[in-house]
């Protein structure tokens, strides 16, 4: 296998390299193999700086995660029943974390079920993953630092710029991978391998088996993507949005601007919801077990949508201000993009661009000075 230590040194920030070297130094005398895995490896091989550090350890002793975190001048801030841990470290920048997992094997009781995990070896851990390009590892052991482990053809698929699933039941075992397939294909500008595309279309109905919270989490990951509109457009075209819920649709978007003080992901969320009627929005809310953010989006988008006819007429500026004040600028911007009414879009844009920050020329003090009774 190839050695990619030069790519690691050239692409990882010095603080990340320092952390990996220290983790390696701690694991080696304890005979615990340590690897960089998943998306971090994929990104390095694509010549990009990874945004996350994902580590796997093989058959670590009890409490290894706590001891490793201490050696990295940090602590474990989250752990799960799936033998995964999230670490913070003073060696990293604020907000950065490390994902650590014990190498494991997964089995599924049925479609949509959460996996049952058992500690295992690196080979089993890589084979349980979603796509071949995410099923590679880089050794961090001092003796073979930078050695690439690729037993599934992931490097070749990277060079071909294709996404290929690990096995035929990939989308049945975990149907959230359908959403990930669309997300990765757009982000990486990869095409789905022919067999993978056929499997996705065959099995996307299994999204019905996924719990509402897991669906919402995957949708939130899409909304955070820099190219979220393109991901949603691709998901719409492939029928994936309709498989999540029949009322979900993403309209053609010619422009997508985020007003000052607004959140781009909320703009995209409103655009996603706007074309659904009241019953559809209620159904979407139930399907994703709407949290506070989704609940507010559903409520405000429904209200703005109900005003479309009024917004399409020539309103006085003061009337438009009274109609729209109090709504989130993010949701208003998303509705402006999604509405099929050019007149309504112009009203929404007028409010966002000129009226929402308007203030009166006279203050209360001015009125009192003019003799107006308090």
């Amino acid at each position: 296998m190839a050695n990619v230590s030069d790519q690691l040194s050239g692409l990882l920030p010095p603080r990340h390299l320092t952390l990996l070297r220290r983790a390696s130094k701690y694991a080696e005398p304890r005979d615990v193999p340590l690897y960089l895995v998943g998306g971090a490896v994929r990104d390095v091989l694509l010549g990009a700086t990874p945004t996350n550090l994902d580590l796997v350890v093989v058959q670590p002793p009890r409490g290894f995660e706590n001891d490793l975190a201490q050696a990295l001048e940090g602590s474990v801030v989250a752990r799960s029943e799936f033998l995964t841990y999230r670490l913070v470290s003073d060696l990293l920048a604020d907000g950065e974390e490390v994902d650590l997992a014990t190498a494991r094997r997964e089995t599924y009781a049925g479609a949509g079920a959460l996996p049952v995990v058992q500690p295992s070896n690196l080979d089993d851990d890589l084979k349980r993953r979603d796509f071949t390009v995410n099923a590679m590892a880089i050794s961090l052991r001092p003796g073979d630092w930078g050695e690439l482990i690729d037993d599934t053809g992931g490097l070749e698929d990277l060079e071909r710029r294709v996404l290929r699933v690990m096995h035929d039941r990939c989308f049945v075992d975990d149907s959230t991978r359908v959403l990930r397939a669309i997300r990765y294909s757009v982000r990486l500008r990869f095409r789905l391998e022919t067999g993978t595309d056929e499997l996705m279309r065959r099995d996307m109905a299994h999204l019905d088996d996924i719990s509402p919270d897991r669906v919402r989490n995957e949708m939130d990951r899409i909304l955070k993507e820099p190219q979220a509109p393109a991901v949603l457009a691709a998901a719409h075209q492939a029928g994936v949005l309709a498989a999540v819920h029949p009322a979900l649709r993403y309209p053609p978007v010619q422009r997508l601007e985020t007003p000052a003080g607004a959140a781009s992901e909320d703009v995209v969320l409103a655009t996603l919801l706007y074309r659904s009627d009241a019953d559809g929005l209620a159904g979407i809310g139930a399907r994703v077990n709407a949290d506070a953010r989704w609940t507010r989006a559903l409520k405000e988008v429904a209200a703005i949508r109900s005003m479309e006819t009024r917004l399409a007429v020539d309103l006085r500026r003061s009337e438009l201000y009274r109609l729209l004040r109090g709504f989130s600028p993010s949701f208003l911007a998303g509705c402006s993009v999604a509405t099929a009414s050019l007149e309504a879009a112009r009203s929404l844009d007028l409010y966002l661009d000129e009226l929402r920050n308007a203030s009166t020329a006279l203050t209360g003090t001015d009125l009192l000075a003019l003799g107006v009774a308090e």
Side-chain angles (χ1 to χ4, degrees):
M1 283 293 176
N3 189 289
V4 295
S5 56
D6 288 345
Q7 287 98 311
L8 281 179
S9 299
L11 291 168
L12 292 182
R15 64 184 182 278
H16 290 180
L17 283 171
T18 298
L19 182 140
L20 294 181
R21 291 286 189 186
R22 188 173 295 189
S24 172
K25 184 177 180 180
Y26 178 81
E28 178 66 13
R30 290 158 180 81
D31 197 27
V32 178
L34 179 69
Y35 301 91
L36 186 69
V37 297
V41 177
R42 178 200 67 220
D43 291 345
V44 165
L45 295 176
L46 287 173
T49 298
T51 56
N52 297 307
L53 292 179
D54 295 315
L55 304 179
V56 160
V57 291
V58 180
Q59 297 182 348
R62 183 183 296 274
F64 178 83
E65 71 281 359
N66 294 316
D67 297 335
L68 177 62
Q70 187 173 3
L72 298 177
E73 301 178 27
S75 61
V76 177
V77 294
R79 59 184 73 231
S80 82
E81 61 188 296
F82 305 113
L83 305 179
T84 63
Y85 313 92
R86 196 162 69 248
L87 281 58
V88 295
S89 168
D90 289 344
L91 300 175
L92 299 177
D94 288 345
E96 289 186 323
E97 297 174 332
V98 178
D99 290 323
L100 175 70
T102 297
R104 61 201 191 272
R105 178 190 301 118
E106 293 180 346
T107 56
Y108 293 83
L114 292 173
V116 177
V117 304
Q118 290 180 297
S120 189
N121 53 43
L122 179 68
D123 184 59
D124 282 343
D125 192 86
L126 295 179
K127 286 180 178 177
R128 70 173 180 80
R129 295 173 182 266
D130 47 14
F131 307 104
T132 59
V133 297
N134 293 333
M136 295 179 283
I138 296 174
S139 176
L140 300 179
R141 295 181 295 187
D144 54 8
W145 175 276
E147 199 75 16
L148 178 67
I149 295 95
D150 173 24
D151 296 327
T152 62
L155 183 58
E156 181 181 352
D157 286 341
L158 276 183
E159 293 168 349
R160 295 166 55 213
R161 303 191 73 81
V162 299
L163 283 180
R164 179 165 56 90
V165 291
M166 298 291 291
H167 53 80
D168 287 355
R169 284 187 55 85
C170 177
F171 296 121
V172 177
D173 287 343
D174 183 356
S175 298
T176 62
R177 290 168 176 164
V178 171
L179 294 167
R180 272 180 265 162
I182 300 293
R183 181 158 56 91
Y184 287 142
S185 66
V186 172
R187 183 205 296 175
L188 301 173
R189 297 182 181 178
F190 281 19
R191 64 177 176 84
L192 295 182
E193 180 259 346
T194 301
T196 295
D197 185 60
E198 291 172 353
L199 289 170
M200 184 188 76
R201 294 177 187 277
R202 183 194 75 182
D203 296 333
M204 70 172 65
H206 285 290
L207 280 165
D208 279 345
D209 301 322
I210 301 299
S211 71
D213 286 342
R214 292 180 67 200
V215 171
R216 187 185 68 250
N217 289 338
E218 287 299 326
M219 293 300 295
D220 284 342
R221 289 188 178 99
I222 290 175
L223 294 173
K224 288 182 172 66
E225 286 285 321
Q227 299 180 67
V231 177
L232 291 170
H236 176 83
Q237 185 175 9
V240 173
L241 287 183
V244 173
H245 191 278
L248 278 176
R249 53 184 61 87
Y250 198 75
V253 173
Q254 302 299 323
R255 58 188 175 84
L256 189 64
E257 299 178 0
T258 303
S264 60
E265 59 200 72
D266 285 347
V267 175
V268 179
L269 176 56
T271 305
L272 173 65
L273 298 174
Y274 189 82
R275 294 290 179 95
S276 302
D277 61 20
D279 289 340
L281 290 173
I284 292 168
R287 183 65 189 99
V288 301
N289 188 25
D291 59 8
R293 174 165 162 261
W294 276 78
T295 296
R296 183 180 178 189
L298 290 161
K299 180 179 178 180
E300 293 202 9
V301 168
I304 297 165
R305 189 178 187 277
S306 70
M307 299 176 190
E308 186 173 276
T309 301
R310 293 182 66 189
L311 291 170
V313 301
D314 190 16
L315 296 171
R316 289 183 301 172
R317 289 182 168 225
S318 58
E319 190 175 358
L320 182 61
Y321 177 83
R322 285 194 298 270
L323 195 63
L324 297 179
R325 65 177 178 178
F327 285 101
S328 161
S330 302
F331 299 147
L332 289 169
C335 293
S336 170
V337 171
T339 179
S341 168
L342 181 60
E343 294 78 10
R346 285 173 177 163
S347 293
L348 290 166
D349 291 343
L350 174 60
Y351 173 81
L352 288 168
D353 294 340
E354 298 183 31
L355 303 182
R356 68 181 172 113
N357 294 319
S359 59
T360 59
L362 292 177
T363 67
T365 301
D366 295 328
L367 293 174
L368 290 172
L370 292 171
V372 177
E374 184 175 354

